[in-house]
């Protein structure tokens, strides 16, 4: 729509794990004429990944997203394996699954407890200043702590296996080279269900 | 003394620094005791208010980012360049080896995954990409730097805690000061 009478811009959108903006265009009567959802983040991985060494890809691609870095690291390692016509070792594959599941736990905890639970518990019309995880911690401290600890449990799996919580290291085609090397022989499951 | 205000902003980056900030886990409640988090991807404030400290993640990649960092500078007592993309442009700056046109064409039209059906985004409501990605200190004065990709949660907590207690944070070997 070329000349909306009024434009409502919501930026950033805070309920999702990503960069987004919503533009609502209203006519003179205040009715919505058009609604646009913009993903306004561009970095150009499609270009600058060209011609890089395949060993670099599992380190470059996680930087696409700090919330789901494991997915990008693992997929790039798998893509390079397909190019070379090889398969990961059995152990390497299990390690990838382990850290990927860890990421899934922390990402779900983030989405549910940190981003969405304030809407469920306080409602959409509540005070926006309190409508966040800190507000939840004030009113429902036990629930907030459990959410924070669940996310921590997922992040710790990543850290205990690869050495870092975010932008895991060591994934390579054929498996994970850094895994467990030089680390304390400690099981990623040496935590209780609350991440302690 | 009134409660301090802090903001955290995400420009051209992956949000990994913000995730590392969340990795301070329960200590976020200690931060909340000292300051109100008034603008951040995890809270609902949309406007950039006057604040004591702003942590800015990511590089400047577009006209909107440039506008935003200038506004942040104007309204923050201290601006912290938060993570490697903010400080060196890091992976976000890897597109600087190419022209903007080349990078956009590859992503929107030439990439094989587009099946030959891709179109360049032209909607006027979209942000305008800058020719080159720049680090924050090329646009505005920066007071503190926290390197790392991402910086560790302990380092982030230390810097925030010191600033909120009116002390100057010192990053050294002991604090695992490192890039990457």
């Amino acid at each position: 729509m070329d000349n909306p009478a009024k434009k409502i811009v919501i930026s950033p959108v805070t309920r999702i794990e990503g960069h987004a903006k919503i533009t609502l265009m209203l006519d003179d009567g205040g009715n919505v004429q058009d609604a646009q959802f913009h993903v306004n983040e561009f970095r150009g991985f499609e270009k600058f990944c060209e011609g890089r060494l395949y060993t670099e890809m599992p380190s470059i691609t996680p930087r696409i997203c700090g919330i789901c870095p494991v997915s990008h690291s693992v997929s790039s390692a798998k893509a390079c394996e397909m190019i070379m016509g090889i398969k990961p070792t059995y152990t390497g594959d299990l390690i990838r699954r382990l850290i990927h599941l860890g990421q899934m736990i922390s990402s779900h905890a983030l989405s549910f407890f940190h981003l969405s639970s304030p809407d469920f518990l306080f409602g959409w019309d509540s005070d926006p200043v309190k409508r966040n995880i800190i507000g939840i911690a004030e009113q429902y401290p036990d629930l907030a702590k459990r959410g924070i600890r669940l996310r921590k449990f997922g992040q710790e799996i990543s850290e205990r296996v690869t050495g870092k919580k975010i932008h895991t290291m060591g994934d390579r085609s054929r498996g994970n080279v850094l895994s467990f090397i030089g680390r304390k022989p400690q099981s990623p499951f040496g935590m209780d269900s609350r991440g302690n | 003394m009134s409660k301090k205000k802090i903001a955290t902003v995400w420009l051209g980056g992956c949000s990994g620094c913000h995730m590392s900030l969340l990795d301070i886990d329960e200590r976020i409640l200690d931060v909340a005791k000292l300051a109100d988090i008034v603008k951040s991807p995890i809270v609902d404030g949309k406007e950039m208010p006057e604040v004591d400290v702003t942590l800015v993640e990511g590089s400047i990649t577009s006209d909107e980012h440039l506008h935003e960092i200038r506004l942040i500078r104007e309204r923050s007592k201290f601006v912290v360049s938060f993570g490697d993309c903010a400080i060196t442009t890091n992976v976000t700056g890897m597109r600087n080896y190419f022209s903007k046109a080349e990078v956009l064409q590859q992503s929107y039209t030439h990439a094989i995954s587009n099946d030959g059906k891709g179109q360049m985004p032209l909607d006027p409501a979209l942000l305008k990409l800058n020719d080159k990605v720049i680090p924050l200190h090329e646009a505005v004065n920066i007071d503190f730097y926290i390197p790392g990709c991402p910086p560790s949660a302990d380092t982030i907590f230390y810097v925030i805690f010191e600033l909120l207690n009116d002390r100057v944070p010192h990053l050294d070997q002991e604090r695992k000061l490192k890039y990457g």
Side-chain angles (χ1 to χ4, degrees):
Chain A
M1 197 180 147
D2 293 334
N3 290 307
K6 198 179 169 208
K7 229 160 72 164
I8 299 175
V9 178
I10 300 163
S11 178
V13 177
T14 45
R15 292 300 181 276
I16 56 157
E17 299 179 347
H19 248 161
K21 179 169 115 175
I22 289 171
T23 311
L24 300 175
M25 301 188 191
L26 311 182
D27 64 13
D28 293 330
N31 302 308
V32 176
Q33 287 290 300
D34 196 9
Q36 294 180 331
F37 173 78
H38 317 277
V39 179
N40 48 7
E41 172 72 24
F42 178 86
R43 279 171 296 151
F45 282 84
E46 295 87 342
K47 184 67 192 172
F48 63 67
C49 285
E50 285 181 329
R52 307 290 311 196
L53 291 172
Y54 70 87
T55 48
E56 291 180 322
M57 298 317 292
S59 302
I60 294 175
T61 54
R63 272 73 183 179
I64 292 171
C65 173
I67 303 161
C68 55
V70 177
S71 309
H72 298 288
S73 178
V74 169
S75 353
S76 72
K78 285 169 90 170
C80 293
E81 280 163 0
M82 283 169 74
I83 293 169
M84 291 185 283
I86 58 173
K87 283 197 158 64
T89 58
Y90 177 69
T91 316
D93 187 53
L94 288 181
I95 290 168
R96 283 179 188 171
R97 283 166 191 266
L98 179 61
I99 54 176
H100 209 179
L101 289 168
Q103 174 191 281
M104 221 173 278
I105 292 169
S106 53
S107 182
H108 278 69
L110 171 74
S111 174
F112 185 78
F113 288 97
H114 296 68
L115 304 179
S116 299
S117 76
D119 284 341
F120 299 145
L121 291 165
F122 296 140
W124 291 344
D125 298 324
S126 60
D127 180 8
V129 174
K130 292 277 170 203
R131 207 171 48 204
N132 54 52
I133 186 73
I134 313 279
I136 294 287
E138 280 166 11
Q139 208 154 336
Y140 307 94
D142 192 48
L143 183 93
K145 276 188 186 151
R146 284 164 68 184
I148 288 170
R149 284 176 184 164
L150 182 63
R151 182 177 171 279
K152 181 179 174 185
F153 178 84
Q155 297 288 84
E156 290 244 332
I157 290 178
S158 188
E159 185 177 39
R160 294 191 191 197
V161 175
T162 75
K164 271 176 93 178
K165 285 185 173 174
I166 299 154
H167 299 331
T168 52
M169 298 184 294
D171 211 355
R172 292 291 177 268
S173 298
R174 298 217 70 191
N176 193 301
V177 292
L178 286 180
S179 311
F180 301 116
I181 297 171
R183 285 184 224 302
K184 285 179 206 152
Q186 135 196 85
S187 156
F189 299 114
M191 296 176 269
D192 64 26
S193 59
R194 296 184 163 210
N196 292 320
Chain B
M1 195 177 71
S2 66
K3 208 172 169 187
K4 288 195 165 59
K5 290 190 172 81
I6 62 174
T8 75
V9 181
W10 172 23
L11 301 180
C14 75
S15 88
C17 298
H18 271 84
M19 288 305 107
S20 201
L21 169 64
L22 287 185
D23 282 340
I24 68 174
D25 302 319
E26 293 97 326
R27 286 175 291 176
I28 195 147
L29 307 178
D30 299 330
V31 173
K33 274 185 208 137
L34 292 171
D36 289 322
I37 304 173
V38 288
K39 181 181 164 68
S40 166
I42 60 158
V43 305
D44 264 339
K46 306 283 185 217
E47 307 300 321
M48 181 69 212
E50 298 274 338
V51 296
D52 294 282
V53 182
T54 305
L55 268 61
V56 188
E57 170 187 351
S59 329
I60 296 165
T61 72
S62 67
D63 59 342
E64 281 188 15
H65 289 163
L66 197 57
H67 171 77
E68 211 167 330
I69 191 70
R70 285 178 179 150
L71 196 67
I72 289 165
R73 177 69 275 180
E74 224 169 84
R75 298 186 182 172
S76 319
K77 212 181 278 174
F78 297 119
V79 178
V80 183
S81 198
F82 180 28
D84 286 352
C85 289
I87 301 173
T88 70
T89 75
N90 197 24
V91 175
T92 307
M94 282 172 74
R95 79 162 162 90
N96 284 350
Y97 292 110
F98 309 94
S99 73
K100 184 172 84 176
E102 268 180 293
V103 178
L104 283 170
Q105 262 166 18
Q106 178 62 24
S107 299
Y108 286 99
T109 61
H110 294 12
I112 294 171
S113 52
N114 290 330
D115 296 327
K117 291 173 197 148
Q119 281 178 356
M120 294 290 269
L122 294 168
D123 196 294
L126 287 170
L127 49 75
K128 300 212 169 23
L129 222 53
N130 292 343
D131 289 336
K132 296 289 173 201
V133 176
I134 57 167
L136 304 186
H137 60 265
E138 281 192 28
V140 295
N141 283 328
I142 298 293
D143 302 296
F144 296 99
Y145 296 85
I146 316 178
C149 184
S152 76
D154 289 344
T155 307
I156 298 168
F157 181 72
Y158 165 75
V159 172
I160 295 178
F161 198 76
E162 293 298 287
L163 287 174
L164 292 181
N165 281 296
D166 298 316
R167 289 190 294 261
V168 177
H170 291 287
L171 293 180
D172 50 25
Q173 210 83 35
E174 206 184 323
R175 302 273 167 216
K176 291 184 181 161
L177 176 65
K178 65 165 192 61
Y179 286 85

